[in-house]
């Protein structure tokens, strides 16, 4: 595995991270590894848009949709 060093972390940020790690019952290293792991597993907006585009393809045309809306309104 690789070690990562983050330089010039402001003291208030470090204090907050230490507090959050302690509240989670983890060491600072374990807490930060969880954060980095979660971030790496989260898809980017571009990846989400690609997936959405791929999974929402349909063969229904705009005309079909508008026709169905009109039919629904006529049934009222």
């Amino acid at each position: 595995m690789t070690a990562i060093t983050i330089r010039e972390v402001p003291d208030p940020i470090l204090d907050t991270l230490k507090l959050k790690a302690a509240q989670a019952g983890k060491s600072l290293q374990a807490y930060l590894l969880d954060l980095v792991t979660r971030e790496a597993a989260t898809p980017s907006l571009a990846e989400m848009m690609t997936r959405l585009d791929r999974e929402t393809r349909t063969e229904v045309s705009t005309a079909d949709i508008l026709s169905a809306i009109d039919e629904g309104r006529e049934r009222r």
Side-chain angles (χ1 to χ4, degrees), residues 4 6 9 12-40:
I4 297 174
I6 301 174
V9 177
I13 301 296
L14 180 59
D15 293 342
T16 299
L17 290 170
K18 286 180 179 179
L19 178 62
K20 288 184 175 191
Q23 289 171 340
K26 299 178 180 182
S27 67
L28 181 59
Q29 179 177 334
Y31 182 76
L32 293 175
L33 180 57
D34 285 348
L35 284 177
V36 170
T37 301
R38 199 165 46 244
E39 177 62 26

